[in-house]
Amino acid sequence: MKHYYLKILLAFLLISPVALAQETDNAAILKIIFSKYYKEEKVIAKGRLQLLSFYCKKAPNNEEVLEVISKSDFLKKNAAEIKKQIIIGIDEDWSAAYNILFDNQNQYLKSKVNNCLSLEEFQSAYAQHGENNQRLMIISKPIYFGGGNNALVKVAFYRSIEHNNGSYLLLEKVNGIWTIKDYLNKWAT
């Protein structure tokens, strides 16, 4: 019985740093994306309508990733590693990375991002204000590859049945800093 508990404790000690490191990377990637796309947004003050909202859930990676891989020589070299991370049925949210990013830091950026919304909350706000300038930013679960120094993330903007757009961001970590290396598979309706 003691061996059983020892194995569980050992597994927990090995998995915890990996999970924390990935959430730290997720937070760093979220910061890059927020800094880029919220750059022109105004600080959310009492009574001011937030025009760009953040979707709480991580969008799953689907077969569209295969199309992105097929158009990039760099991604083709890492295709096997990337394809293993296409999991359609995920149910994860951004709360851990969001909390790491905004706990006692990045408060100016947080004042622009504000809280994340569910799709229903966004649609309710959209219907209440009836303005076609509100957008919901949806970010996929990052796909890490190349020893964890590269990531592929889909960023999409939902407005209504029409006027939507997005692309995949290819990110690279150099000296511990994530940067956007390329925009792939851009689309708009």
Side-chain angles (χ1 to χ4, degrees), residues 164-176:
N164 304 308
N165 64 62
S167 69
Y168 278 84
L169 306 182
L170 177 59
L171 297 112
E172 182 178 30
K173 186 176 9 174
V174 179
N175 298 324

Side-chain angles (χ1 to χ4, degrees), residues 86-101:
I86 298 174
I87 304 169
I88 296 171
I90 67 162
D91 184 22
E92 298 178 12
D93 63 39
W94 284 103
S95 61
Y98 185 91
N99 291 337
I100 290 170
L101 177 59

Side-chain angles (χ1 to χ4, degrees), residues 32 36-37 167-170 180-186:
I32 295 289
K36 173 166 181 41
Y37 292 108
S167 69
Y168 278 84
L169 306 182
L170 177 59
I180 299 173
K181 186 175 177 180
D182 202 359
Y183 296 85
L184 308 168
N185 217 37
K186 293 182 180 181

Side-chain angles (χ1 to χ4, degrees), residues 38-57:
Y38 278 93
K39 187 176 186 176
E40 303 300 320
E41 299 296 316
K42 294 180 180 176
V43 171
I44 306 304
K46 187 176 181 178
R48 178 178 288 152
L49 176 64
Q50 183 171 10
L51 299 179
L52 178 58
S53 298
F54 172 54
Y55 183 58
C56 296
K57 295 281 189 180

Side-chain angles (χ1 to χ4, degrees), residues 145-169:
F145 63 96
N149 291 319
N150 295 288
L152 188 63
V153 181
K154 181 179 181 180
V155 179
F157 296 91
Y158 170 78
R159 213 180 264 193
S160 61
I161 292 176
E162 48 190 42
H163 307 297
N164 304 308
N165 64 62
S167 69
Y168 278 84
L169 306 182

Side-chain angles (χ1 to χ4, degrees), residues 72-111:
S72 167
D73 290 335
F74 178 70
L75 295 179
K76 285 177 187 175
K77 293 175 187 173
N78 296 281
E81 189 177 0
I82 294 169
K83 288 177 183 179
K84 288 179 186 176
Q85 297 179 63
I86 298 174
I87 304 169
I88 296 171
I90 67 162
D91 184 22
E92 298 178 12
D93 63 39
W94 284 103
S95 61
Y98 185 91
N99 291 337
I100 290 170
L101 177 59
F102 291 133
D103 279 351
N104 302 318
Q105 57 186 345
N106 304 303
Q107 295 305 301
Y108 179 72
L109 183 58
K110 184 179 183 182
S111 69

Side-chain angles (χ1 to χ4, degrees), residues 113-139:
V113 176
N114 220 349
N115 297 320
C116 68
L117 299 177
S118 68
L119 180 59
E120 294 78 21
E121 291 168 328
F122 172 75
Q123 289 173 332
S124 174
Y126 188 89
Q128 179 183 4
H129 298 288
E131 297 181 28
N132 198 22
N133 57 359
Q134 297 172 66
R135 302 166 323 246
L136 182 64
M137 180 169 48
I138 303 167
I139 304 173

